[in-house]
């Protein structure tokens, strides 16, 4: 873990008071506001540290992420904003890296921190997206897993279980992203024993790394959920087994950045 972000997260673990938000997206990827607009909103909300975390490239789906060519511009702009507002707030330049992202090593080294996430499951050479719609999840389960959505979920959590080993992130992003639409469409049951076993096995594999799990509010601001990820029983399991947590907005607009506690 990078020293600066480690100290920030360790201090939060000790104090319990969070005055930072590390997960947000800007016009460099699929966000609505510029880095500067996000930073100004964070200052208004009383944060002392703010992290911009642009989506790194997934070559098979470029609809939401930054191209490698844009990475240099992204780092330069966040650096400019970092210097401009250094007397008001600490700005960090991060990356949200998907399990299947391909990121040039120089940018992984330049990033102040990494959020490691899983947005897809690779099956038979196809990348099934888990955060687009419930319909796409059902269709993928039918096409690639013979209609067995729990087999799809088991493969999802096997991928999640390996995210720290593969990406060496500082934060684990929205561990149960596959439940994004569960409050508006019952495409599976989180009380199903196969779901419980798969999700908990992933948590047990990740806890020894001591990397914090996000409590992610992103789906609330977009109207899909009334509660953050992870859902309560999984979050309780994380905490009961010694897992660390950190709140993140996953904001795609300046209005949804966390407010200092």
């Amino acid at each position: 873990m990078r020293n600066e972000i480690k100290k920030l997260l360790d201090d939060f673990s000790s104090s319990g008071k969070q005055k930072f938000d590390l997960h947000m997206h800007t016009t460099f990827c699929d966000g609505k506001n510029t880095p500067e607009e996000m930073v100004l909103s964070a200052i208004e909300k009383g944060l002392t540290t703010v992290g911009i975390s642009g989506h790194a490239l997934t070559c098979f789906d470029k609809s939401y992420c930054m191209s490698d060519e844009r990475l240099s511009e992204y780092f330069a702009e966040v650096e400019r904003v970092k210097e401009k507002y250094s007397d008001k707030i600490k700005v960090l330049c991060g990356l949200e890296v998907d399990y299947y992202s391909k990121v040039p090593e120089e940018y992984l080294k330049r990033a102040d921190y990494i959020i490691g996430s899983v947005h897809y499951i690779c099956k038979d050479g196809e990348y099934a997206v888990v955060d687009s719609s419930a319909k796409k999840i059902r269709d993928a389960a039918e096409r690639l897993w013979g209609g067995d959505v729990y087999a799809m979920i088991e493969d999802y959590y096997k991928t999640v279980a390996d995210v720290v080993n593969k990406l060496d992130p500082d934060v684990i992003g929205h561990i149960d992203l596959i439940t994004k639409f569960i409050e508006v469409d019952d495409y599976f049951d989180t009380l199903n024993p196969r779901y419980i076993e798969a999700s908990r096995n992933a948590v047990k594999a990740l806890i020894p790394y001591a990397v914090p799990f996000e409590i992610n509010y992103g789906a609330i601001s977009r109207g899909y959920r009334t509660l953050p990820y992870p859902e309560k029983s999984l979050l309780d399991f994380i905490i009961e087994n010694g897992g660390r947590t950190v709140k993140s907005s996953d904001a795609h607009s300046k209005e949804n950045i966390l407010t200092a506690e």
Side-chain angles (χ1 to χ4, degrees), residues 33-142:
N33 294 101
T34 65
E36 186 161 9
E37 289 170 334
M38 299 298 270
V39 169
L40 287 170
S41 180
I43 292 169
E44 291 175 4
K45 290 170 176 278
L47 298 179
T48 59
T49 300
V50 63
I52 310 296
S53 54
H55 283 293
L57 178 67
T58 46
C59 296
F60 52 86
D61 182 2
K62 300 179 181 180
S63 63
Y64 71 102
C65 51
M66 297 183 290
S67 65
D68 287 347
E69 294 75 20
R70 198 126 201 251
L71 276 173
S72 178
E73 184 183 349
Y74 167 73
F75 275 88
E77 176 59 12
V78 177
E79 186 63 32
R80 183 190 71 80
V81 173
K82 181 185 296 192
E83 293 179 7
K84 182 175 180 178
Y85 296 99
S86 60
D87 61 332
K88 295 181 175 65
I89 193 169
K90 187 168 192 59
V91 178
L92 300 175
C93 185
L95 289 170
E96 182 176 10
V97 180
D98 184 79
Y99 188 84
Y100 296 105
S101 290
K102 304 293 185 183
V103 187
E105 187 67 24
E106 64 177 295
Y107 292 109
L108 291 175
K109 290 179 178 178
R110 283 179 64 183
D112 292 319
Y113 65 98
I114 299 293
I115 298 172
S117 300
V118 177
H119 301 89
Y120 308 88
I121 317 163
C122 186
K123 177 74 169 175
D124 298 337
E126 182 175 338
Y127 295 91
V129 61
V130 303
D131 69 334
S132 179
S133 70
K135 182 180 185 304
K136 285 192 176 181
I137 292 173
R138 281 196 300 270
D139 289 350
E142 187 66 35

Side-chain angles (χ1 to χ4, degrees), residues 83-243:
E83 293 179 7
K84 182 175 180 178
Y85 296 99
S86 60
D87 61 332
K88 295 181 175 65
I89 193 169
K90 187 168 192 59
V91 178
L92 300 175
C93 185
L95 289 170
E96 182 176 10
V97 180
D98 184 79
Y99 188 84
Y100 296 105
S101 290
K102 304 293 185 183
V103 187
E105 187 67 24
E106 64 177 295
Y107 292 109
L108 291 175
K109 290 179 178 178
R110 283 179 64 183
D112 292 319
Y113 65 98
I114 299 293
I115 298 172
S117 300
V118 177
H119 301 89
Y120 308 88
I121 317 163
C122 186
K123 177 74 169 175
D124 298 337
E126 182 175 338
Y127 295 91
V129 61
V130 303
D131 69 334
S132 179
S133 70
K135 182 180 185 304
K136 285 192 176 181
I137 292 173
R138 281 196 300 270
D139 289 350
E142 187 66 35
R143 187 174 66 257
L144 299 171
W145 283 270
D148 186 349
V149 70
Y150 295 101
M152 180 182 185
I153 289 166
E154 286 162 354
D155 283 349
Y156 167 77
Y157 277 114
K158 287 175 185 175
T159 307
V160 170
D162 192 48
V163 74
V164 174
N165 175 58
K166 183 176 182 184
L167 301 179
D168 189 28
D170 304 285
V171 176
I172 299 166
H174 38 54
I175 183 174
D176 59 345
L177 183 62
I178 201 164
T179 69
K180 180 174 181 176
F181 310 102
I182 206 69
E183 291 188 27
V184 295
D185 189 322
D186 56 351
Y187 50 104
F188 70 90
D189 184 359
T190 58
L191 297 179
N192 182 284
R194 288 175 67 188
Y195 176 82
I196 293 171
E197 181 178 13
S199 60
R200 292 187 175 187
N201 282 345
V203 169
K204 287 187 283 188
L206 291 168
I207 280 178
Y209 292 99
V211 176
F213 296 81
E214 270 191 333
I215 300 176
N216 182 302
Y217 287 76
I220 297 175
S221 62
R222 277 165 277 178
Y224 296 118
R225 297 176 63 109
T226 59
L227 297 171
Y229 317 102
E231 56 90 21
K232 187 178 185 305
S233 62
L234 188 58
L235 178 59
D236 288 345
F237 184 79
I238 290 169
I239 294 170
E240 288 165 5
N241 285 273

